[in-house]
């Protein structure tokens, strides 16, 4: 039986489904729980199974959901319908009843010790504490956030990354030239043993200069030096970029769509 996470026993069952630090969905879910489980106004809701059931962790906010482990398919599908969820991210390829798999993304991991360091392009400055509002506007002007390009989702993203960075659960960098943001990369989910890199973007005028590669390698090396596993999910068309940086493909992450989201 699916339960809203409320008690200490619920929390233990929820977190036991997130032990795999090599699974980017588990890393993302763990950070969302750490950041927002005590903030009802955030819109996030967290669910798990009952005592004695196989552990799973389900996180839902608005139309999006994250699932780690195996929930009862019929019950989970009904709950997500009631909650209005239309998109599900999971490491499991098999969809819930009535849902369909509509995407499969390659998961990459940094090699042991981190990727080889790449020098910053000449004349550029690394900003390790950029304005998060500026980063948000930069990302929404590029290709990283085109799936949900509207003001409401921009505001939600900004609010969430502020909360996560303030709690040490995210680290976001930019590369700048003469006060202009040229590129950004961030770890938008950081746990005690893992970091999930995402939202890598370079402005068109600065592409081909090595900005993104230098940022990604620097971030990955920092977390590897801290003993964290570093992973990322590559959007289609950029897998070769991470292979050239020395990242290794290990598995897939899947996107599933609700029946009404065809």
């Amino acid at each position: 039986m699916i339960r809203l996470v409320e008690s200490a026993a619920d929390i233990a069952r929820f977190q036991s489904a997130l032990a795999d630090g090599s699974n980017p969905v588990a890393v993302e879910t763990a950070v969302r729980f750490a950041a927002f489980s005590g903030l009802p106004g955030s819109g996030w809701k967290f669910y798990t199974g009952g005592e004695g059931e196989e552990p799973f962790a389900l996180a839902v906010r608005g139309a999006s959901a994250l699932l780690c482990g195996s929930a009862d398919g019929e019950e989970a599908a009904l709950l997500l319908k009631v909650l209005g969820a239309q998109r599900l991210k999971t490491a499991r390829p098999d969809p819930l009843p009535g849902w369909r798999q509509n995407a499969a993304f390659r998961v990459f991991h940094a090699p042991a010790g981190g990727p080889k360091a790449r020098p910053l392009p000449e004349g550029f400055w690394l900003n390790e504490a950029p304005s998060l509002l500026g980063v948000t506007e930069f990302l929404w002007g590029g290709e990283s956030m085109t799936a949900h390009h509207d003001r409401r989702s921009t505001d939600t993203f900004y609010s969430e990354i502020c909360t996560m960075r303030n709690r040490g659960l995210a680290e976001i960098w930019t590369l700048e030239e003469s006060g202009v943001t040229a590129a950004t990369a961030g770890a938008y989910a950081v746990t005690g043993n893992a970091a999930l890199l995402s939202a890598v973007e370079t402005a068109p005028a600065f592409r081909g200069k090595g900005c993104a590669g230098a940022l990604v390698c620097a971030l990955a090396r920092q977390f590897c030096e801290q003993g964290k596993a570093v992973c990322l999910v590559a959007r289609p068309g950029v897998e070769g970029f991470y292979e050239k940086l020395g990242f290794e493909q290990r598995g897939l992450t899947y996107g599933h769509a609700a029946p009404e989201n065809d």
Side-chain angles (χ1 to χ4, degrees):
M1 183 176 191
I2 297 179
R3 298 170 48 87
L4 188 66
V5 175
E6 295 177 311
S7 69
D10 295 334
I11 294 172
R13 287 194 294 275
F14 184 94
Q15 292 180 330
S16 69
L18 306 175
D20 184 4
S22 66
N23 176 354
V25 181
V27 177
E28 184 176 354
T29 304
V31 166
R32 294 306 185 274
F33 184 75
F36 304 112
S37 60
L39 299 174
S42 70
W44 282 97
K45 297 182 183 297
F46 302 96
Y47 300 88
T48 191
E51 187 70 38
E53 298 179 3
E54 185 176 352
F56 69 87
L58 177 63
V60 185
R61 184 188 62 77
S64 300
L66 304 164
L67 175 63
C68 298
S70 297
D72 178 272
E74 295 286 353
E75 189 179 6
L78 178 59
L79 174 63
L80 291 176
K81 180 178 180 180
V82 171
L83 295 174
Q86 297 180 339
R87 299 178 298 274
L88 177 65
K89 190 186 301 182
T90 177
R92 301 179 63 87
D94 48 310
L96 299 173
W99 286 57
R100 64 178 176 86
Q101 183 195 122
N102 67 342
F105 302 99
R106 295 168 66 183
V107 176
F108 287 85
H109 289 257
K116 183 179 178 180
R118 294 194 167 216
L120 297 180
E122 186 176 353
F124 288 80
W125 173 63
L126 176 64
N127 187 349
E128 298 182 12
S131 159
L132 296 184
L133 181 59
V135 169
T136 301
E137 297 293 347
F138 181 81
L139 287 172
W140 252 261
E143 300 173 358
S144 297
M145 303 296 178
T146 53
H148 311 294
H149 198 288
D150 60 77
R151 174 53 56 183
R152 181 176 179 181
S153 57
T154 303
D155 293 343
T156 299
F157 177 82
Y158 171 67
S159 175
E160 288 197 352
I161 62 173
C162 285
T163 299
M164 291 188 296
R165 191 172 74 171
N166 289 342
R167 297 189 177 196
L169 300 170
E171 184 156 351
I172 301 159
W173 291 357
T174 59
L175 203 60
E176 301 175 9
E177 183 188 52
S178 302
V180 176
T181 298
T184 185
Y188 285 80
V190 180
T191 68
N193 56 16
L196 174 61
L197 305 187
S198 60
V200 178
E201 185 77 47
T202 303
F206 296 99
R207 291 176 184 171
K209 299 179 182 294
C211 296
L215 273 176
V216 169
C217 289
L219 264 176
R221 288 176 62 84
Q222 172 177 284
F223 287 115
C224 286
E225 290 170 1
Q226 296 171 3
K228 299 182 190 295
V230 178
C231 59
L232 60 90
V233 178
R235 66 180 187 266
V238 300
E239 296 94 340
F241 168 75
Y242 294 108
E243 291 173 340
K244 289 179 181 178
L245 296 182
F247 283 75
E248 305 162 356
Q249 185 194 352
R250 301 180 198 167
L252 297 168
T253 286
Y254 300 92
H256 295 166
E260 61 271 24
N261 193 36
D262 291 328

